[in-house]
């Protein structure tokens, strides 16, 4: 793979096919296969937290659009 984007697309394809490929943004960031249950649990926790933050951002953006629909922006 020649670019980071190509790697990301390949990881997404593999995950869609059922592969468990973890990732981290910490010190030694990157993609990796799980070495133990603890790594999988940490990955799940990270994604859950990220998901909650994403949903909050999505809700605030939707709220702004609803407010804009009333002509208040």
């Amino acid at each position: 793979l020649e670019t980071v984007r190509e790697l990301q697309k390949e990881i997404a394809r593999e995950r869609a096919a059922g592969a468990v490929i973890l990732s981290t943004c910490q010190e030694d960031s990157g993609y990796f296969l799980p070495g133990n249950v603890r790594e999988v649990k940490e990955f799940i926790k990270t994604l859950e937290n990220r998901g909650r933050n994403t949903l909050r951002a999505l809700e605030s953006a939707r709220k702004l659009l609803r407010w804009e629909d009333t002509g208040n922006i």
Side-chain angles (χ1 to χ4, degrees):
L1 303 174
E2 295 183 19
T3 67
V4 171
R5 186 67 191 130
E6 288 175 352
L7 173 61
Q8 291 169 334
K9 286 180 179 183
E10 183 60 27
I11 294 294
R13 280 191 290 272
E14 292 293 328
R15 286 175 170 166
V20 178
I21 302 172
L22 309 184
S23 61
T24 181
C25 295
Q26 296 178 350
E27 201 171 303
D28 293 325
S29 64
Y31 297 103
F32 60 99
L33 298 176
N36 55 56
V37 172
R38 180 186 52 81
E39 290 177 345
V40 177
K41 287 180 178 181
E42 288 176 3
F43 179 69
I44 290 169
K45 182 179 177 182
T46 298
L47 288 185
E48 288 173 341
N49 289 337
R50 188 180 303 158
R52 277 191 288 278
N53 289 334
T54 299
L55 289 175
R56 279 194 285 270
L58 178 61
E59 183 53 36
S60 64
R62 285 179 173 159
K63 184 177 179 179
L64 178 65
L65 287 180
R66 286 192 300 270
W67 195 50
E68 189 273 338
D69 287 342
T70 64
N72 290 320
I73 287 187

